[in-house]
Amino acid sequence: MKFPITLLSLLIITGTNAQRPGTLTAEVHPPLTWQLCNIHGCLPEVSGRVVLDANWRWYHRANGSTNCFSGNQWDATICPDPATCNSNCVLEGANYSGTYGITSLSGARGIALKWKQGQNVGSRVHVLRYDTQYELFKLLNQEIAFDVDVSKVPCGIAASAQLTEMAADGGMSSQPGNTAGAKYGVGYCDSRCPKDLKWIGGEVNNLDWTPISSTSGVGRYGSCCNEVDLFQGNSISSAFTVHSCSSPTVAGQYRCTGTECGTTANPTGGVCDPVGCDYNAYRNGQQNFYGPSKTIDTTKKFTVVTRFITDTGTATGTLTEIRRLWVQDGVVIQNASVNVAGISTANSISTGYCAAKETVFGDPTSFEDHGGLGSVSGALNRGMVLTFSIWDDPAAHLLWLDSNYPAGTSPTQAGVARGTCPTSSGDPAVVEANEVDASVTFSWVRVGPIGTTYELQKWEQCGGVAF
């Protein structure tokens, strides 16, 4: 029998030292504000902040500065097993700008993420309401909008804004001994059930650790939860995607093991759907919609609006559709409609769209198999954490986003072509060495009822014109 992560913590972690913060570097979170909007306009800004994900942090011996994890391996002397490693090591504070290239924009209205800062590659940050608590966004019958500038994000690198069902406190209340929590970016999960996380449920994930690249590896356990990718993209292609997890097994963060996490032979056979139901305009037959000098011109900033429609038109209803709008240069732009034979004309994600896309493109049915929009509806009702990141893809080189995928398949086959990047692009060794100036900015986050976050009139009330 498998237990949710809260009960596992009581059974396994009680009596041990779990994730603890270090004292060598003060943890000072970069500020980030967002606005709550209604039919009358936008309220004064909510003063929040962002926190670097724990997986990027320095983990060192508590009584010194010896690394507990270096390159792609745990120190077997310091960390022979999870309990000993937990006892010996601490999670350090972050120098956000100096080490990671993470900075707040003017007035704290946005965040900039550099791809390469010194030896560091990529980053992931989560939105905090307070220093020790993530903001939980409850978005049924609501919309969320933000500005993004991907003009400096090339092929093979992705900038993402996503929602995942992390615990508000990073697991501190359910994991005795976990004194790091949300303040140190603890508790990440997503629908891939990632096994490359160094800590899951307040415990070191070093059992069966196997290196997979020069800087990372995978352990015995994965960290699973529902996920909504509001935006994944670069200057060439973009997609918004929804992923489900089997309910009631997964409600919040869930620690998986074995086939529950999915396997190489059967990646969709776990408790969550790693593939998702995606909407990529290029893949859907609209090759001139998104990219440099296209309808959505990625050489300059644009606004992404995502609406979560329910069956009752209320926040107590069930999610039935996810709609996308864009705004650029003061013009509201409807999402590109599907232009693929066999898929009804649509420009949003719904159960019907997902089923038709799976049939025509040959995509797996794992989204529906894990509960579909119903499972995601539960997560949106409980509340999800907003995360921003910039990253590459060692496994598939991001070809599923911006090129032909699977590589070697004819791009004339429906669903294969996703963007104009060559199939030779995206090798992490190349992009990490050559694309040192890549960066993304996310700014001016707004949340409110449907139709309140993006109209030009509301922009002026919120101060958007001056930003």
Side-chain angles (χ1 to χ4, degrees):
M1 178 178 180
K2 289 300 296 181
F3 300 101
I5 203 160
T6 52
L7 185 52
L8 269 171
S9 303
L10 295 175
L11 293 174
I12 297 173
I13 300 175
T14 299
T16 70
N17 292 314
Q19 286 170 288
R20 297 177 294 148
T23 59
L24 299 183
T25 302
E27 178 65 17
V28 180
H29 299 128
L32 176 70
T33 63
W34 63 90
Q35 291 183 296
L36 303 178
C37 303
N38 57 42
I39 60 173
H40 303 294
C42 294
L43 301 175
E45 293 167 335
V46 177
S47 296
R49 56 224 78 186
V50 297
V51 60
L52 179 69
D53 185 270
N55 228 40
W56 268 258
R57 292 175 180 270
W58 181 27
Y59 197 51
H60 64 87
R61 194 153 195 156
N63 60 356
S65 58
T66 303
N67 290 336
C68 296
F69 185 95
S70 294
N72 59 10
Q73 285 281 14
W74 295 94
D75 186 307
T77 302
I78 304 173
C79 293
D81 56 74
T84 303
C85 195
N86 284 336
S87 180
N88 286 340
C89 304
V90 292
L91 194 63
E92 197 53 67
N95 179 341
Y96 280 82
S97 60
T99 302
Y100 300 99
I102 300 168
T103 55
S104 290
L105 302 184
S106 176
R109 282 191 170 179
I111 201 80
L113 306 177
K114 288 186 66 176
W115 166 240
K116 194 84 179 287
Q117 178 76 359
Q119 296 303 307
N120 180 71
V121 175
S123 60
R124 181 167 63 218
V125 297
H126 313 299
V127 174
L128 293 165
R129 178 62 182 91
Y130 306 105
D131 274 329
T132 59
Q133 183 174 316
Y134 300 125
E135 176 75 356
L136 294 184
F137 290 90
K138 299 182 178 182
L139 294 174
L140 288 178
N141 200 46
Q142 301 279 298
E143 66 186 28
I144 182 169
F146 52 83
D147 290 0
V148 60
D149 185 343
V150 292
S151 60
K152 296 181 179 179
V153 185
C155 294
I157 300 175
S160 294
Q162 65 181 144
L163 300 167
T164 64
E165 200 179 355
M166 300 162 63
D169 65 356
M172 285 182 66
S173 62
S174 62
Q175 300 160 8
N178 179 0
T179 57
K183 182 176 181 179
Y184 288 83
V186 171
Y188 181 73
C189 56
D190 65 34
S191 65
R192 297 177 298 110
C193 298
K195 300 173 72 175
D196 63 340
L197 301 182
K198 300 181 183 74
W199 308 269
I200 299 174
E203 184 182 35
V204 171
N205 189 31
N206 64 346
L207 296 176
D208 305 327
W209 186 264
T210 303
I212 58 172
S213 74
S214 62
T215 58
S216 65
V218 293
R220 175 180 297 180
Y221 301 109
S223 184
C224 313
C225 64
N226 289 285
E227 173 187 352
V228 178
D229 300 319
L230 301 169
F231 176 87
Q232 288 184 320
N234 51 34
S235 59
I236 303 301
S237 292
S238 73
F240 67 107
T241 309
V242 60
H243 303 262
S244 58
C245 294
S246 297
S247 177
T249 303
V250 181
Q253 188 189 20
Y254 178 84
R255 188 171 83 163
C256 69
T257 186
T259 57
E260 284 189 321
C261 305
T263 64
T264 301
N266 185 18
T268 62
V271 295
C272 289
D273 158 39
V275 177
C277 178
D278 69 297
Y279 200 107
N280 176 327
Y282 196 100
R283 192 184 190 206
N284 284 341
Q286 296 286 4
Q287 285 81 21
N288 294 313
F289 182 73
Y290 178 97
S293 302
K294 296 184 179 182
T295 302
I296 304 300
D297 183 358
T298 57
T299 65
K300 51 189 176 180
K301 183 171 62 177
F302 52 86
T303 300
V304 175
V305 183
T306 309
R307 294 174 159 182
F308 297 92
I309 310 300
T310 67
D311 56 350
T312 62
T314 68
T316 59
T318 299
L319 181 69
T320 58
E321 185 183 6
I322 303 175
R323 297 176 185 167
R324 165 57 44 85
L325 292 172
W326 311 77
V327 184
Q328 191 168 48
D329 296 333
V331 178
V332 178
I333 303 169
Q334 298 296 316
N335 196 36
S337 296
V338 176
N339 184 29
V340 176
I343 304 177
S344 298
T345 301
N347 64 359
S348 63
I349 290 176
S350 64
T351 298
Y353 163 78
C354 295
K357 180 181 73 74
E358 290 160 0
T359 299
V360 174
F361 292 163
D363 290 350
T365 61
S366 52
F367 178 63
E368 288 85 357
D369 295 344
H370 290 85
L373 291 177
S375 292
V376 178
S377 184
L380 289 167
N381 181 59
R382 291 185 292 267
M384 303 181 79
V385 176
L386 178 60
T387 294
F388 300 115
S389 60
I390 185 168
W391 50 285
D392 61 12
D393 178 7
H397 296 186
L398 280 179
L399 302 183
W400 52 267
L401 174 70
D402 59 19
S403 185
N404 299 327
Y405 187 79
T409 306
S410 172
T412 61
Q413 181 177 322
V416 171
R418 292 107 185 288
T420 59
C421 295
T423 54
S424 59
S425 66
D427 182 345
V430 175
V431 296
E432 291 172 17
N434 296 340
E435 302 295 350
V436 295
D437 295 324
S439 65
V440 63
T441 61
F442 294 97
S443 57
W444 199 30
V445 178
R446 295 91 76 198
V447 177
I450 304 299
T452 63
T453 68
Y454 68 91
E455 294 177 7
L456 184 58
Q457 177 183 354
K458 304 298 189 300
W459 277 33
E460 295 168 341
Q461 292 170 349
C462 295
V465 170
F467 180 67

